[in-house]
Amino acid sequence: MKTFIFSLMLLIASIISLFVGVADISIADIIKGQDEGIFLIGISRIPRTIALILAGIGMSISGLIMQQLTQNKFVSPTTAGTLESAKLGLLSGLLLIPTASEAVKMMVAFLFTFLSSLLFLNIIRKIRFRNLVLVPLIGLIFGGIINSISTFLAIKRNMLQDANSWLIGDFSGVLQGRYELIYLSLPSILITYLYASRFTVIGLGKDFSKSLGLNYSMVMNIGLFCVSLTVSTVVITAGVIPFLGLIVPNIVSMIYGDNIRKTLPLVALTGAIFLVICDIIGRLVIFPYEVPIGIMVSVIGAGIFLMILLWKR
């Protein structure tokens, strides 16, 4: 029943998203078969809404996986250097293979993201005394170092403006033919669902997982693969979207518990609903201009994150 209600909310938000924007399009125009309205819906509004939904689902699930792998509710792509690594990989792809296709650049970003995630997990494993705040703090420092490297390379190659544009997520440039790479996140979402029970066990600790006969290293690598592929496709499609993978899994777990197999659909749907609503607000708040989705999610997400901190306290 909960999944049905959340799905209905996502459907309503998606329909609203199709008809919000500078160009005035109504349902009546579509029913009448108005060519201009149908063309705009097909070339821009539908791809944008699909990209929003997939990004919301992917980033939320990625945050959930990372929290299970690190056994820390405050770890996410935002607080583990994952987004910064994807940015560095994308920048490296542009510098090393400037004429490469978007798919090749995405694979370079994926490789950087996966390797940096492995490095981050190895770093926190070596910390003897870990607490709820220390791990994400190390992640922020780790991400800051990676971001500094990206900025240095961008300055040296006169690409600072391009690099900074990836820091702010923006779906306004999503058009038909320029967003399809985000569909590569779908296999990651499917794998996550199939391995949901194993990720739940991983969250109980390495020793406990091995005592149950679970291949700890394999499950960890599968989780990192899913996170890296999803984050890479989102970054190359729309840029960096902060806080989403942090707040959505925490909100859902606070209300419905930590059984991933049960909460995974709710996390996915909540992330998609949240991102679509933030995008709609961004299109309306200074209409006819638009606030990038990265800024909207940062403002709203920061407030929600603060409330979560106070609640945890």
Side-chain angles (χ1 to χ4, degrees):
M1 187 63 181
K2 294 189 290 289
T3 304
F4 173 76
I5 294 172
F6 277 61
S7 299
L8 184 60
M9 291 171 60
L10 177 59
L11 178 62
I12 293 170
S14 300
I15 293 173
I16 294 172
S17 176
L18 293 177
F19 297 97
V20 172
V22 176
D24 187 16
I25 305 171
S26 66
I27 297 177
D29 295 332
I30 305 302
I31 294 174
K32 291 176 182 176
Q34 188 183 73
D35 292 339
E36 184 179 347
I38 293 174
F39 175 77
L40 184 58
I41 287 281
I43 202 75
S44 174
R45 301 283 175 83
I46 290 178
R48 178 172 184 154
T49 303
I50 292 174
L52 283 164
I53 292 171
L54 292 179
I57 291 172
M59 293 301 293
S60 300
I61 289 178
S62 295
L64 180 62
I65 295 173
M66 294 196 72
Q67 288 167 17
Q68 290 297 120
L69 298 184
T70 59
Q71 299 173 260
N72 191 298
K73 290 292 185 181
F74 290 152
V75 171
S76 74
T78 307
T79 59
T82 310
L83 293 174
E84 289 81 0
S85 300
K87 174 190 166 186
L88 177 60
L90 189 55
L91 179 62
S92 300
L94 286 171
L95 292 175
L96 297 174
I97 326 171
T99 58
S101 64
E102 293 292 306
V104 173
K105 293 171 185 174
M106 190 275 294
M107 290 306 298
V108 176
F110 162 77
L111 182 62
F112 271 73
T113 307
F114 184 77
L115 293 176
S116 73
S117 299
L118 283 176
L119 179 59
F120 174 70
L121 288 177
N122 285 326
I123 290 172
I124 63 174
R125 281 199 200 110
K126 294 182 182 299
I127 300 172
R128 187 171 180 181
F129 302 105
R130 286 180 282 173
N131 58 41
L132 199 62
V133 177
L134 183 60
V135 174
L137 180 60
I138 292 171
L140 290 172
I141 295 171
F142 182 66
I145 294 171
I146 295 174
N147 189 51
S148 299
I149 296 172
S150 299
T151 303
F152 175 77
L153 290 175
I155 292 173
K156 293 289 286 184
R157 297 290 183 173
N158 199 26
M159 296 179 64
L160 186 60
Q161 186 173 355
D162 292 331
N164 286 337
S165 66
W166 301 324
L167 289 175
I168 302 176
D170 186 10
F171 283 85
S172 62
V174 173
L175 299 170
Q176 187 178 30
R178 294 180 56 186
Y179 81 106
E180 284 78 8
L181 275 177
I182 202 167
Y183 284 111
L184 291 175
S185 63
L186 289 175
S188 300
I189 296 168
L190 176 61
I191 292 171
T192 302
Y193 185 78
L194 295 175
Y195 276 79
S197 298
R198 294 178 177 85
F199 290 139
T200 301
V201 176
I202 285 287
L204 298 174
K206 183 176 181 179
D207 295 334
F208 185 81
S209 303
K210 288 188 173 182
S211 69
L212 294 178
L214 193 68
N215 189 330
Y216 183 81
S217 298
M218 184 190 75
V219 176
M220 289 283 285
N221 288 334
I222 289 173
L224 292 179
F225 171 85
C226 293
V227 171
S228 302
L229 182 59
T230 301
V231 171
S232 301
T233 57
V234 171
V235 169
I236 202 168
T237 302
V240 174
I241 304 174
F243 287 111
L244 189 61
L246 177 64
I247 59 175
V248 171
N250 273 284
I251 291 172
V252 173
S253 68
M254 286 166 62
I255 300 172
Y256 299 107
D258 292 321
N259 188 324
I260 294 184
R261 185 167 288 279
K262 290 182 179 179
T263 61
L264 188 63
L266 299 178
V267 170
L269 291 169
T270 303
I273 293 167
F274 180 76
L275 199 61
V276 172
I277 290 175
C278 284
D279 187 65
I280 293 171
I281 295 172
R283 280 184 263 177
L284 293 175
V285 69
I286 55 171
F287 188 86
Y289 303 103
E290 183 175 325
V291 178
I293 188 72
I295 295 176
M296 290 305 305
V297 173
S298 295
V299 172
I300 299 173
I304 295 174
F305 182 52
L306 181 59
M307 287 190 290
I308 292 173
L309 285 174
L310 295 175
W311 179 273
K312 293 282 184 181
R313 183 180 176 187

